Amino acid sequence: MRMDETPQDETGALLLAAARRAIAYRADPTAHPPATDYAACLAAFDGPLSEAGEPGADVLDALVARAEPGLRASVGPRFFGWVIGNSHPVGVAADWLTAAWGQNTANHFAAPAAAAAETVAARWLLELLRLPAECSVGFVTGATMASFVALAAARGEVLRRAGWDVEAQGLFGAPPVRVLIGEEAHASVFSALHYLGFGKASLIRVPADAEGVMRPDAFEDLLAREVPEGAPLIVVTQAGHIHSGATDAHERLVPLAQARAGWVHVDGAFGLWARACPARAHLAAGVEAADSWATDGHKWLQTPFDCGYAIVRDAGAHRRAMTIAASYLPPVSEHERDPSHYVPELSRRARGFASWALLRHFGRNGIAAMVERHCAQARLLAGLLATEPGITVLNEVVLNQVAVRFGGAVAGAPEGAQGDALTRATIAAVQEEGTCFAAGASWRGRWILRLSVIGASTTDDDIRLSAQAIIDAWRRVASAAGAL
Ligand SMILES: *Cc1c(COP(=O)(O)O)cnc(C)c1O
């Protein structure tokens, strides 16, 4: 088939139909607000398992008809919910090919191109984030698994130094490992730790300041009081707090931890990307001295879901924690990097293709400009909202996250329950109206609207439109509640 011909075969027709559907959707994702909720989607998808099966083209039509009414416009320009990148078209195109090529990315012999793309994307990533060149990188599903992988390496290494081989002996009977972590660390890190045997009650939690970062004095004090000299130690820090965007004071914390031979792991799901932007890099200064890092591709790099990176300075510790060996797999080699030696999975998607494509597409300057633009847009959004009586921006907007409270600052309006109720009502009104999307969260006992500016397609006009929509929603809620 020539590239400009309409394919006559079934495979070609099916893939072209899928491409046409995807192109139509991406032309304006905001033209399809989710018309239905989960229950309606469930009813639409439901039905008996087919006995005889159905032709592919019919199945595709049925899939689109059921899915499109239930899609959230997270690839659109005014989506500020959670922390979600745009699934950038260059990454999507690479990912279509990834699926079509069907490579099983376990090793360099089974999937030479996929393994090579990962090796090079890993090198570019370390350069971009200004992390040590000797680090190994595992391509995982997201930052949760990246923290799991890196903390498995940490656990193995701090125990190995204490004379215990956790890969051989397991955890029962091992010397206790002390884990210091900020009390406002991301929920996923607590999950990663408990998958590894570090139960939530066993952690030493460091009090946080108003921006949610660890107080260095409290950290130093707990290190002295709770960690015996010579005890195996893991310290978990954060670059990019989920509500404030703030980053722990690595220049102070990392030397304290390393003076006690501690392994420092950084959850930098999105905040690590400040390092890719000269104007923002100071926010994550000192992070490079840590031992491991977790970050995402599907946030600031805009890769399609799913993609995260587990980055470990000690590649040997990384491999000891993850390597899968079998007679039919290539042995560990100095020369050929096998993707499966750095992640929990054996068979998996070739995530390196989309990562390589997007890093190449944006380039160093493109990524720096995007990060800087998002930070400026977050400040613009916060500034516009803060001019409205009754709206308070709770965080110092240093990065791309904006935490907003409604009602609390109005003279005479009580904090607490009423502020929570007004904030919840405003969030519902914003979602109902539909100009933009964002969602709520609880921060230090208060309900907030959290806005995350991270989509590649967001313009300053989108920010202005969204700010106005949020202000209008608040005015409706406030006048109905008599709060103004
Ligand atoms: C998103 C996020 C995570 C979890 O990442 P996933 O990609 O969802 O697994 C962890 N930490 C922070 C700070 C995040 O923003």
Side-chain angles (χ1 to χ4, degrees):
M1 185 194 109
R2 293 210 333 264
M3 293 302 281
D4 56 353
E5 273 174 21
T6 302
Q8 300 303 315
D9 67 301
E10 220 173 290
T11 300
L14 192 65
L15 296 184
L16 196 61
R20 289 208 168 101
R21 300 288 204 168
I23 291 162
Y25 178 74
R26 290 298 291 250
D28 184 8
T30 57
H32 311 258
T36 55
D37 60 5
Y38 171 71
C41 288
L42 195 59
F45 275 96
D46 207 358
L49 170 64
S50 170
E51 291 297 335
E54 268 179 71
D58 297 350
V59 173
L60 197 68
D61 287 344
L63 174 64
V64 172
R66 285 158 181 75
E68 279 198 346
L71 298 178
R72 275 228 185 280
S74 47
V75 300
R78 292 186 298 280
F79 190 90
F80 307 109
W82 307 290
V83 186
I84 288 183
N86 252 174
S87 284
H88 189 283
V90 171
V92 172
D95 205 53
W96 282 353
L97 292 168
T98 301
W101 291 334
Q103 299 295 288
N104 180 338
T105 311
N107 65 72
H108 73 274
F109 183 68
E118 270 197 15
T119 301
V120 176
R123 203 188 76 223
W124 288 350
L125 195 68
L126 295 177
E127 269 183 44
L128 190 70
L129 299 176
R130 298 188 300 114
L131 295 176
E134 75 263 27
C135 291
S136 51
V137 183
F139 287 60
V140 288
T141 50
T144 305
M145 285 313 287
S147 280
F148 169 77
V149 167
L151 289 166
R155 183 186 68 173
E157 180 57 21
V158 299
L159 282 172
R160 199 181 64 82
R161 290 185 210 145
W164 185 271
D165 180 349
V166 73
E167 280 81 36
Q169 296 168 274
L171 264 188
F172 298 108
V177 177
R178 301 320 197 273
V179 180
L180 254 77
I181 182 167
E183 64 176 350
E184 295 200 22
H186 193 269
S188 65
V189 186
F190 292 101
S191 294
L193 285 166
H194 87 66
Y195 306 152
L196 291 163
F198 301 118
K200 294 191 174 69
S202 76
L203 309 174
I204 303 169
R205 294 175 196 238
V206 181
D209 72 7
E211 296 298 315
V213 302
M214 281 191 268
R215 284 176 27 217
D217 57 324
F219 178 87
E220 193 166 5
D221 182 49
L222 283 168
L223 195 60
R225 279 197 291 120
E226 302 284 337
V227 182
E229 207 54 60
L233 169 68
I234 296 172
V235 169
V236 184
T237 66
Q238 180 167 252
H241 183 282
I242 192 70
H243 305 317
S244 70
T247 290
D248 281 321
H250 287 84
E251 283 173 315
R252 285 195 62 189
L253 304 183
V254 178
L256 290 171
Q258 289 179 343
R260 304 289 295 271
W263 176 301
V264 179
H265 171 68
V266 184
D267 171 19
F270 62 94
L272 206 56
W273 292 79
R275 297 177 62 79
C277 173
R280 299 277 124 200
H282 62 279
L283 295 172
V287 158
E288 68 283 359
D291 300 280
S292 61
W293 304 263
T295 195
D296 268 314
H298 55 224
K299 289 181 179 170
W300 238 328
L301 185 56
Q302 319 287 323
T303 68
F305 286 97
D306 45 24
C307 187
Y309 311 105
I311 306 172
V312 181
R313 184 191 295 275
D314 180 344
H318 193 170
R319 277 195 300 271
R320 278 194 294 280
M322 291 293 138
T323 295
I324 298 179
S327 60
Y328 52 86
L329 299 173
V332 175
S333 151
E334 284 298 306
H335 308 292
E336 291 112 355
R337 173 188 175 280
D338 282 322
S340 66
H341 293 328
Y342 304 93
V343 299
E345 301 93 346
L346 184 57
S347 301
R348 72 173 166 85
R349 183 174 198 79
R351 298 191 184 99
F353 288 136
S355 299
W356 182 91
L358 276 166
L359 287 165
R360 186 166 166 149
H361 172 66
F362 286 122
R364 210 189 289 273
N365 294 342
I367 289 174
M370 176 169 60
V371 170
E372 180 55 19
R373 178 167 56 80
H374 287 145
C375 295
Q377 288 174 335
R379 280 196 304 276
L380 173 63
L381 182 56
L384 291 169
L385 293 175
T387 59
E388 178 69 14
I391 301 185
T392 312
V393 173
L394 296 180
N395 65 317
E396 203 184 311
V397 182
V398 291
L399 206 66
N400 64 321
Q401 302 292 100
V402 185
V404 186
R405 174 83 170 170
F406 297 89
V410 179
E415 255 301 358
Q418 202 201 344
D420 276 359
L422 291 169
T423 300
R424 282 181 196 275
T426 307
I427 293 168
V430 167
Q431 292 177 353
E432 171 72 27
E433 189 273 334
T435 295
C436 63
F437 181 89
S442 174
W443 188 20
R444 287 200 295 271
R446 293 186 294 186
W447 201 253
I448 59 166
L449 168 69
R450 194 181 60 204
L451 298 149
S452 175
V453 184
I454 199 159
S457 59
T458 302
T459 65
D460 289 2
D461 280 343
D462 289 313
I463 295 291
R464 288 190 196 93
L465 267 176
S466 303
Q468 197 54 54
I470 294 166
I471 289 170
D472 290 345
W474 159 239
R475 286 179 183 164
R476 290 196 299 280
V477 167
S479 72
L484 278 182

